PDB file of all heavy atoms in Angstrom:
ATOM      1  N   PRO A 196     158.076  83.774  92.715  1.00 93.00           N
ATOM      2  CA  PRO A 196     158.713  83.016  93.804  1.00 93.00           C
ATOM      3  C   PRO A 196     160.237  83.066  93.764  1.00 93.00           C
ATOM      4  O   PRO A 196     160.883  82.874  94.794  1.00 93.00           O
ATOM      5  CB  PRO A 196     158.190  81.593  93.592  1.00 93.00           C
ATOM      6  CG  PRO A 196     157.783  81.533  92.165  1.00 93.00           C
ATOM      7  CD  PRO A 196     157.289  82.904  91.817  1.00 93.00           C
ATOM      8  N   THR A 197     160.826  83.321  92.600  1.00 93.00           N
ATOM      9  CA  THR A 197     162.284  83.394  92.527  1.00 93.00           C
ATOM     10  C   THR A 197     162.813  84.541  93.367  1.00 93.00           C
ATOM     11  O   THR A 197     163.866  84.424  94.009  1.00 93.00           O
ATOM     12  CB  THR A 197     162.735  83.552  91.063  1.00 93.00           C
ATOM     13  OG1 THR A 197     162.226  82.462  90.301  1.00 93.00           O
ATOM     14  CG2 THR A 197     164.245  83.565  90.967  1.00 93.00           C
ATOM     15  N   THR A 198     162.103  85.671  93.386  1.00 93.00           N
ATOM     16  CA  THR A 198     162.503  86.780  94.255  1.00 93.00           C
ATOM     17  C   THR A 198     162.429  86.372  95.719  1.00 93.00           C
ATOM     18  O   THR A 198     163.304  86.722  96.518  1.00 93.00           O
ATOM     19  CB  THR A 198     161.603  88.003  93.993  1.00 93.00           C
ATOM     20  OG1 THR A 198     161.850  88.501  92.674  1.00 93.00           O
ATOM     21  CG2 THR A 198     161.885  89.107  95.004  1.00 93.00           C
ATOM     22  N   ALA A 199     161.404  85.617  96.087  1.00 94.00           N
ATOM     23  CA  ALA A 199     161.298  85.130  97.462  1.00 94.00           C
ATOM     24  C   ALA A 199     162.476  84.231  97.811  1.00 94.00           C
ATOM     25  O   ALA A 199     163.024  84.298  98.914  1.00 94.00           O
ATOM     26  CB  ALA A 199     159.979  84.390  97.659  1.00 94.00           C
ATOM     27  N   VAL A 200     162.896  83.383  96.873  1.00 95.00           N
ATOM     28  CA  VAL A 200     164.051  82.507  97.095  1.00 95.00           C
ATOM     29  C   VAL A 200     165.311  83.342  97.304  1.00 95.00           C
ATOM     30  O   VAL A 200     166.124  83.054  98.192  1.00 95.00           O
ATOM     31  CB  VAL A 200     164.216  81.539  95.907  1.00 95.00           C
ATOM     32  CG1 VAL A 200     165.573  80.849  95.948  1.00 95.00           C
ATOM     33  CG2 VAL A 200     163.104  80.502  95.923  1.00 95.00           C
ATOM     34  N   GLN A 201     165.479  84.387  96.507  1.00 95.00           N
ATOM     35  CA  GLN A 201     166.650  85.251  96.674  1.00 95.00           C
ATOM     36  C   GLN A 201     166.623  85.967  98.020  1.00 95.00           C
ATOM     37  O   GLN A 201     167.675  86.183  98.643  1.00 95.00           O
ATOM     38  CB  GLN A 201     166.706  86.270  95.538  1.00 95.00           C
ATOM     39  CG  GLN A 201     167.040  85.670  94.185  1.00 95.00           C
ATOM     40  CD  GLN A 201     167.061  86.727  93.091  1.00 95.00           C
ATOM     41  OE1 GLN A 201     166.024  87.263  92.698  1.00 95.00           O
ATOM     42  NE2 GLN A 201     168.245  87.031  92.610  1.00 95.00           N
ATOM     43  N   ALA A 202     165.433  86.339  98.485  1.00 96.00           N
ATOM     44  CA  ALA A 202     165.325  86.967  99.801  1.00 96.00           C
ATOM     45  C   ALA A 202     165.693  85.976 100.905  1.00 96.00           C
ATOM     46  O   ALA A 202     166.352  86.338 101.891  1.00 96.00           O
ATOM     47  CB  ALA A 202     163.908  87.506 100.017  1.00 96.00           C
ATOM     48  N   ILE A 203     165.294  84.726 100.744  1.00 96.00           N
ATOM     49  CA  ILE A 203     165.635  83.703 101.745  1.00 96.00           C
ATOM     50  C   ILE A 203     167.147  83.501 101.814  1.00 96.00           C
ATOM     51  O   ILE A 203     167.700  83.214 102.884  1.00 96.00           O
ATOM     52  CB  ILE A 203     164.909  82.383 101.425  1.00 96.00           C
ATOM     53  CG1 ILE A 203     163.396  82.576 101.539  1.00 96.00           C
ATOM     54  CG2 ILE A 203     165.352  81.266 102.374  1.00 96.00           C
ATOM     55  CD1 ILE A 203     162.584  81.381 101.073  1.00 96.00           C
ATOM     56  N   ASP A 204     167.851  83.652 100.681  1.00 96.00           N
ATOM     57  CA  ASP A 204     169.312  83.562 100.702  1.00 96.00           C
ATOM     58  C   ASP A 204     169.904  84.540 101.714  1.00 96.00           C
ATOM     59  O   ASP A 204     170.775  84.178 102.526  1.00 96.00           O
ATOM     60  CB  ASP A 204     169.883  83.866  99.310  1.00 96.00           C
ATOM     61  CG  ASP A 204     169.516  82.808  98.284  1.00 96.00           C
ATOM     62  OD1 ASP A 204     169.165  81.681  98.685  1.00 96.00           O
ATOM     63  OD2 ASP A 204     169.575  83.118  97.078  1.00 96.00           O
ATOM     64  N   GLN A 205     169.436  85.795 101.657  1.00 96.00           N
ATOM     65  CA  GLN A 205     169.949  86.817 102.575  1.00 96.00           C
ATOM     66  C   GLN A 205     169.479  86.561 104.003  1.00 96.00           C
ATOM     67  O   GLN A 205     170.236  86.731 104.966  1.00 96.00           O
ATOM     68  CB  GLN A 205     169.489  88.204 102.120  1.00 96.00           C
ATOM     69  CG  GLN A 205     170.004  88.636 100.760  1.00 96.00           C
ATOM     70  CD  GLN A 205     171.495  88.896 100.752  1.00 96.00           C
ATOM     71  OE1 GLN A 205     172.088  89.228 101.776  1.00 96.00           O
ATOM     72  NE2 GLN A 205     172.113  88.738  99.593  1.00 96.00           N
ATOM     73  N   ILE A 206     168.234  86.119 104.154  1.00 97.00           N
ATOM     74  CA  ILE A 206     167.700  85.859 105.490  1.00 97.00           C
ATOM     75  C   ILE A 206     168.480  84.738 106.172  1.00 97.00           C
ATOM     76  O   ILE A 206     168.826  84.831 107.360  1.00 97.00           O
ATOM     77  CB  ILE A 206     166.195  85.497 105.397  1.00 97.00           C
ATOM     78  CG1 ILE A 206     165.382  86.709 104.947  1.00 97.00           C
ATOM     79  CG2 ILE A 206     165.683  84.977 106.740  1.00 97.00           C
ATOM     80  CD1 ILE A 206     163.937  86.396 104.636  1.00 97.00           C
ATOM     81  N   GLU A 207     168.761  83.674 105.436  1.00 96.00           N
ATOM     82  CA  GLU A 207     169.523  82.572 106.027  1.00 96.00           C
ATOM     83  C   GLU A 207     170.898  83.037 106.491  1.00 96.00           C
ATOM     84  O   GLU A 207     171.365  82.649 107.569  1.00 96.00           O
ATOM     85  CB  GLU A 207     169.659  81.436 105.018  1.00 96.00           C
ATOM     86  CG  GLU A 207     170.429  80.237 105.578  1.00 96.00           C
ATOM     87  CD  GLU A 207     170.682  79.157 104.549  1.00 96.00           C
ATOM     88  OE1 GLU A 207     170.231  79.308 103.386  1.00 96.00           O
ATOM     89  OE2 GLU A 207     171.344  78.153 104.893  1.00 96.00           O
ATOM     90  N   ASP A 208     171.543  83.865 105.686  1.00 96.00           N
ATOM     91  CA  ASP A 208     172.865  84.364 106.078  1.00 96.00           C
ATOM     92  C   ASP A 208     172.786  85.182 107.363  1.00 96.00           C
ATOM     93  O   ASP A 208     173.637  85.035 108.258  1.00 96.00           O
ATOM     94  CB  ASP A 208     173.448  85.214 104.950  1.00 96.00           C
ATOM     95  CG  ASP A 208     174.828  85.739 105.286  1.00 96.00           C
ATOM     96  OD1 ASP A 208     175.799  84.954 105.199  1.00 96.00           O
ATOM     97  OD2 ASP A 208     174.951  86.931 105.654  1.00 96.00           O
ATOM     98  N   LEU A 209     171.769  86.037 107.486  1.00 96.00           N
ATOM     99  CA  LEU A 209     171.623  86.836 108.700  1.00 96.00           C
ATOM    100  C   LEU A 209     171.356  85.953 109.907  1.00 96.00           C
ATOM    101  O   LEU A 209     171.893  86.193 111.004  1.00 96.00           O
ATOM    102  CB  LEU A 209     170.496  87.852 108.519  1.00 96.00           C
ATOM    103  CG  LEU A 209     170.707  88.942 107.462  1.00 96.00           C
ATOM    104  CD1 LEU A 209     169.492  89.854 107.384  1.00 96.00           C
ATOM    105  CD2 LEU A 209     171.957  89.748 107.755  1.00 96.00           C
ATOM    106  N   LEU A 210     170.537  84.911 109.753  1.00 96.00           N
ATOM    107  CA  LEU A 210     170.249  84.010 110.874  1.00 96.00           C
ATOM    108  C   LEU A 210     171.500  83.241 111.302  1.00 96.00           C
ATOM    109  O   LEU A 210     171.716  83.019 112.498  1.00 96.00           O
ATOM    110  CB  LEU A 210     169.133  83.042 110.494  1.00 96.00           C
ATOM    111  CG  LEU A 210     167.724  83.640 110.372  1.00 96.00           C
ATOM    112  CD1 LEU A 210     166.737  82.575 109.931  1.00 96.00           C
ATOM    113  CD2 LEU A 210     167.274  84.250 111.699  1.00 96.00           C
ATOM    114  N   ARG A 211     172.302  82.824 110.346  1.00 95.00           N
ATOM    115  CA  ARG A 211     173.538  82.123 110.715  1.00 95.00           C
ATOM    116  C   ARG A 211     174.454  83.029 111.527  1.00 95.00           C
ATOM    117  O   ARG A 211     175.119  82.571 112.467  1.00 95.00           O
ATOM    118  CB  ARG A 211     174.251  81.635 109.452  1.00 95.00           C
ATOM    119  CG  ARG A 211     173.530  80.502 108.738  1.00 95.00           C
ATOM    120  CD  ARG A 211     174.403  79.869 107.693  1.00 95.00           C
ATOM    121  NE  ARG A 211     173.715  78.799 106.968  1.00 95.00           N
ATOM    122  CZ  ARG A 211     174.330  77.793 106.379  1.00 95.00           C
ATOM    123  NH1 ARG A 211     175.655  77.712 106.421  1.00 95.00           N
ATOM    124  NH2 ARG A 211     173.638  76.856 105.744  1.00 95.00           N
ATOM    125  N   ARG A 212     174.508  84.303 111.167  1.00 94.00           N
ATOM    126  CA  ARG A 212     175.349  85.240 111.914  1.00 94.00           C
ATOM    127  C   ARG A 212     174.769  85.503 113.299  1.00 94.00           C
ATOM    128  O   ARG A 212     175.507  85.601 114.281  1.00 94.00           O
ATOM    129  CB  ARG A 212     175.495  86.540 111.132  1.00 94.00           C
ATOM    130  CG  ARG A 212     176.275  86.378 109.834  1.00 94.00           C
ATOM    131  CD  ARG A 212     176.186  87.600 108.942  1.00 94.00           C
ATOM    132  NE  ARG A 212     176.803  87.366 107.660  1.00 94.00           N
ATOM    133  CZ  ARG A 212     178.079  87.599 107.377  1.00 94.00           C
ATOM    134  NH1 ARG A 212     178.870  88.103 108.313  1.00 94.00           N
ATOM    135  NH2 ARG A 212     178.580  87.352 106.186  1.00 94.00           N
ATOM    136  N   LEU A 213     173.446  85.635 113.388  1.00 94.00           N
ATOM    137  CA  LEU A 213     172.817  85.835 114.692  1.00 94.00           C
ATOM    138  C   LEU A 213     173.042  84.637 115.605  1.00 94.00           C
ATOM    139  O   LEU A 213     173.213  84.792 116.822  1.00 94.00           O
ATOM    140  CB  LEU A 213     171.322  86.077 114.519  1.00 94.00           C
ATOM    141  CG  LEU A 213     170.902  87.459 114.011  1.00 94.00           C
ATOM    142  CD1 LEU A 213     169.446  87.449 113.581  1.00 94.00           C
ATOM    143  CD2 LEU A 213     171.123  88.516 115.089  1.00 94.00           C
ATOM    144  N   ALA A 214     173.041  83.441 115.025  1.00 93.00           N
ATOM    145  CA  ALA A 214     173.192  82.226 115.831  1.00 93.00           C
ATOM    146  C   ALA A 214     174.548  82.150 116.518  1.00 93.00           C
ATOM    147  O   ALA A 214     174.707  81.421 117.500  1.00 93.00           O
ATOM    148  CB  ALA A 214     172.982  80.989 114.953  1.00 93.00           C
ATOM    149  N   ARG A 215     175.528  82.891 116.014  1.00 90.00           N
ATOM    150  CA  ARG A 215     176.871  82.865 116.617  1.00 90.00           C
ATOM    151  C   ARG A 215     177.002  83.824 117.797  1.00 90.00           C
ATOM    152  O   ARG A 215     178.058  83.866 118.428  1.00 90.00           O
ATOM    153  CB  ARG A 215     177.920  83.207 115.552  1.00 90.00           C
ATOM    154  CG  ARG A 215     178.018  82.180 114.444  1.00 90.00           C
ATOM    155  CD  ARG A 215     179.315  82.347 113.673  1.00 90.00           C
ATOM    156  NE  ARG A 215     179.352  83.570 112.904  1.00 90.00           N
ATOM    157  CZ  ARG A 215     179.043  83.646 111.598  1.00 90.00           C
ATOM    158  NH1 ARG A 215     178.655  82.543 110.968  1.00 90.00           N
ATOM    159  NH2 ARG A 215     179.119  84.777 110.948  1.00 90.00           N
ATOM    160  N   HIS A 216     175.970  84.599 118.066  1.00 88.00           N
ATOM    161  CA  HIS A 216     176.057  85.608 119.123  1.00 88.00           C
ATOM    162  C   HIS A 216     175.143  85.260 120.285  1.00 88.00           C
ATOM    163  O   HIS A 216     174.208  84.480 120.156  1.00 88.00           O
ATOM    164  CB  HIS A 216     175.676  86.988 118.572  1.00 88.00           C
ATOM    165  CG  HIS A 216     176.650  87.535 117.569  1.00 88.00           C
ATOM    166  ND1 HIS A 216     177.871  88.059 117.929  1.00 88.00           N
ATOM    167  CD2 HIS A 216     176.589  87.626 116.212  1.00 88.00           C
ATOM    168  CE1 HIS A 216     178.509  88.469 116.848  1.00 88.00           C
ATOM    169  NE2 HIS A 216     177.758  88.205 115.797  1.00 88.00           N
ATOM    170  N   ASP A 217     175.440  85.901 121.426  1.00 85.00           N
ATOM    171  CA  ASP A 217     174.604  85.755 122.613  1.00 85.00           C
ATOM    172  C   ASP A 217     173.412  86.681 122.454  1.00 85.00           C
ATOM    173  O   ASP A 217     173.516  87.897 122.645  1.00 85.00           O
ATOM    174  CB  ASP A 217     175.409  86.121 123.863  1.00 85.00           C
ATOM    175  CG  ASP A 217     174.578  86.021 125.133  1.00 85.00           C
ATOM    176  OD1 ASP A 217     173.481  85.421 125.067  1.00 85.00           O
ATOM    177  OD2 ASP A 217     175.012  86.550 126.175  1.00 85.00           O
ATOM    178  N   LEU A 218     172.272  86.120 122.109  1.00 83.00           N
ATOM    179  CA  LEU A 218     171.085  86.926 121.863  1.00 83.00           C
ATOM    180  C   LEU A 218     170.424  87.396 123.148  1.00 83.00           C
ATOM    181  O   LEU A 218     169.544  88.253 123.112  1.00 83.00           O
ATOM    182  CB  LEU A 218     170.072  86.125 121.033  1.00 83.00           C
ATOM    183  CG  LEU A 218     170.584  85.621 119.682  1.00 83.00           C
ATOM    184  CD1 LEU A 218     169.494  84.857 118.958  1.00 83.00           C
ATOM    185  CD2 LEU A 218     171.099  86.765 118.826  1.00 83.00           C
ATOM    186  N   ASP A 219     170.832  86.845 124.259  1.00 71.00           N
ATOM    187  CA  ASP A 219     170.265  87.244 125.552  1.00 71.00           C
ATOM    188  C   ASP A 219     171.113  88.325 126.226  1.00 71.00           C
ATOM    189  O   ASP A 219     171.100  88.465 127.446  1.00 71.00           O
ATOM    190  CB  ASP A 219     170.148  86.036 126.481  1.00 71.00           C
ATOM    191  CG  ASP A 219     169.240  84.964 125.905  1.00 71.00           C
ATOM    192  OD1 ASP A 219     168.246  85.339 125.268  1.00 71.00           O
ATOM    193  OD2 ASP A 219     169.527  83.772 126.094  1.00 71.00           O
ATOM    194  N   ALA A 220     171.845  89.092 125.409  1.00 66.00           N
ATOM    195  CA  ALA A 220     172.745  90.106 125.963  1.00 66.00           C
ATOM    196  C   ALA A 220     171.984  91.378 126.292  1.00 66.00           C
ATOM    197  O   ALA A 220     172.399  92.481 125.954  1.00 66.00           O
ATOM    198  CB  ALA A 220     173.872  90.400 124.966  1.00 66.00           C
TER     199      ALA A 220
END
């Protein structure tokens, strides 16, 4: 599960960056 936690670290960062953009472009 520690590897899964490390993967979530990267996933959260990508989602935060996506949230700043217009996804309906």
Side-chain angles (χ1 to χ4, degrees):
T197 303
T198 293
V200 167
Q201 290 179 290
I203 296 173
D204 293 340
Q205 297 291 334
I206 292 172
E207 181 185 358
D208 181 77
L209 295 179
L210 289 178
R211 290 192 182 206
R212 293 169 187 270
L213 284 167
R215 295 197 292 263
H216 293 284
D217 179 14
L218 302 180
D219 299 324

